[in-house]
Amino acid sequence: MKLVNIASIDLNLLVVFDALVAEGHATRAAQRIGLTQPAVSHALNRLRALFGDPLFVRSPRGMIPTPAALDAAPAIRSILEQVESVLRGGRIFEPEESGRQFVIGLSDYAAFVLLPQLAARVEREAPKISLVIRNTSHSVGLPMLEEGSVELIAGNFPKPPSHLRDELLYEEDFVCAGRGDHPALADPLDLDRYLCLRHLQVSTKGNPHGYVDAVLAERGLKRKVAVTVGHFLMAPLLVESSNLVATEPRRLFGSLPSPLPLRFFPPPIDIPPFRVVQAWHARHDADPGHQWLRRVVREIAQQT
């Protein structure tokens, strides 16, 4: 076991670590905690020496946490929240006794992936707490926080202004899905055959041209979208009962209550992942109950 002299450690390093986990980017982490980018880089070097691990690896998408960083992140966040609670005067939130109501905005996708586990977790740990779930989306999530109609949102949203906070839960990639005995999927799928298939598009606004189509269009390519539906829940059922192929977020299919006889394969074209975050107003930063809720959402997301 590695011995650590706590007196020799600058605990502000934990603040930098937490910001890097939340932002996934050194410059944004620096802005979040009021430091310069070189100061964050210097702190990261000290953290790496302390942990004996790279912790964060640079990539085109930003700073990717290593397994060691992911393992340490929940404990470090909890430590910081406890310190914040002490400095607030010791206000304590006891989830098992609280009768609070939380109003949460979830995108259709986030509700499908996160809500079943969130409801089960609250039932186990905080049976007197109630949840009100309101539908949100990329374009309306931040305005809902601004106006106070929700206190937390989860999904994919633009970068918020400085008085709103966001925390990266994970980056979601894409998978192609077709029914198990689809006649065109017996062999490895190449791009030409992929473009010729009949495709299913999920769009809450009913738009038959979505994120995947935009990626294809950048390369001068186009697929045939045969069916567009407004709910993610419909996608697995339609694919299983037809020759439609869906290119959708991977966790969508992993969240099915009972597996369907589907075949999965990587898209024959590189589709950049998208960020799934939780966001809230800065006025909730120091709220112990809100901190508990955010921690629960974070832990659920890490298990998906």
Side-chain angles (χ1 to χ4, degrees), residues 16 23 37 39 81-82 87 131 137 152 182 192 283 294:
V16 175
E23 296 294 342
Q37 195 275 333
E81 288 175 356
Q82 291 179 52
L87 296 177
L131 302 177
S137 66
L152 183 74
H182 195 301
D192 289 338
R283 61 176 171 266
R294 299 197 304 266

Side-chain angles (χ1 to χ4, degrees), residues 7-281:
S8 68
I9 297 173
D10 179 0
L11 295 182
N12 285 315
L13 294 176
L14 302 185
V15 177
V16 175
F17 178 95
D18 185 63
L20 285 168
V21 171
E23 296 294 342
H25 193 281
T27 300
R28 292 200 298 265
Q31 293 171 345
R32 184 186 186 99
I33 57 179
L35 295 178
T36 64
Q37 195 275 333
V40 167
S41 297
H42 178 66
L44 177 56
N45 288 334
R46 295 172 65 192
L47 282 163
R48 285 167 169 164
L50 181 63
F51 279 84
D53 186 88
L55 294 178
F56 299 91
V57 179
R58 296 187 185 279
S59 80
R61 303 196 300 270
M63 304 287 285
I64 306 300
T66 66
L70 292 174
D71 287 343
I76 289 176
R77 177 93 290 269
S78 178
I79 290 168
L80 294 175
E81 288 175 356
Q82 291 179 52
V83 172
E84 290 168 357
S85 177
V86 170
L87 296 177
R88 284 195 308 270
R91 282 193 296 144
I92 298 174
F93 175 77
E94 298 180 349
E96 66 277 6
E97 297 297 331
S98 174
R100 182 167 174 176
Q101 180 184 85
F102 290 107
V103 184
I104 305 172
L106 296 177
S107 68
D108 186 46
Y109 159 83
F112 191 81
V113 173
L114 301 176
L115 184 55
Q117 293 183 65
L118 176 59
R121 178 84 174 265
V122 170
E123 182 177 358
R124 289 195 309 270
E125 297 182 10
K128 298 178 183 179
I129 284 178
S130 61
L131 302 177
V132 176
I133 307 301
R134 294 178 176 167
N135 183 256
T136 189
S137 66
H138 181 85
S139 60
V140 304
L142 298 183
M144 290 174 73
L145 281 179
E146 294 269 19
E147 67 189 22
S149 61
V150 295
E151 55 195 291
L152 183 74
I153 58 175
N156 175 257
F157 308 103
K159 187 65 181 174
S162 59
H163 61 282
L164 300 180
R165 309 285 193 248
D166 71 345
E167 176 186 15
L168 178 66
L169 297 175
Y170 55 82
E171 290 193 333
E172 177 67 293
D173 52 10
F174 286 80
V175 66
C176 297
R179 63 185 175 90
D181 58 351
H182 195 301
L185 301 181
D187 301 316
L189 187 65
D190 60 27
L191 180 58
D192 289 338
R193 189 145 45 92
Y194 172 83
L195 296 175
C196 294
L197 293 171
R198 291 167 53 83
H199 291 266
L200 171 68
Q201 160 74 358
V202 179
S203 169
T204 56
K205 295 183 178 180
N207 187 349
H209 302 287
Y211 184 68
V212 174
D213 300 282
V215 172
L216 291 170
E218 289 178 355
R219 301 193 180 188
L221 302 172
K222 184 178 181 180
R223 61 176 181 166
K224 179 179 180 178
V225 176
V227 177
T228 301
V229 296
H231 302 284
F232 281 101
L233 184 59
M234 294 298 300
L237 301 176
L238 286 171
V239 169
E240 191 271 336
S241 62
S242 71
N243 283 335
L244 293 168
V245 171
T247 306
E248 297 296 340
R250 177 175 54 83
R251 287 171 177 81
L252 170 66
F253 296 100
S255 300
L256 293 174
S258 58
L260 294 172
L262 303 178
R263 292 190 61 189
F264 301 99
F265 45 93
I269 188 172
D270 183 36
I271 302 175
F274 62 90
R275 287 166 50 92
V276 177
V277 305
Q278 60 176 342
W280 62 96
H281 198 284

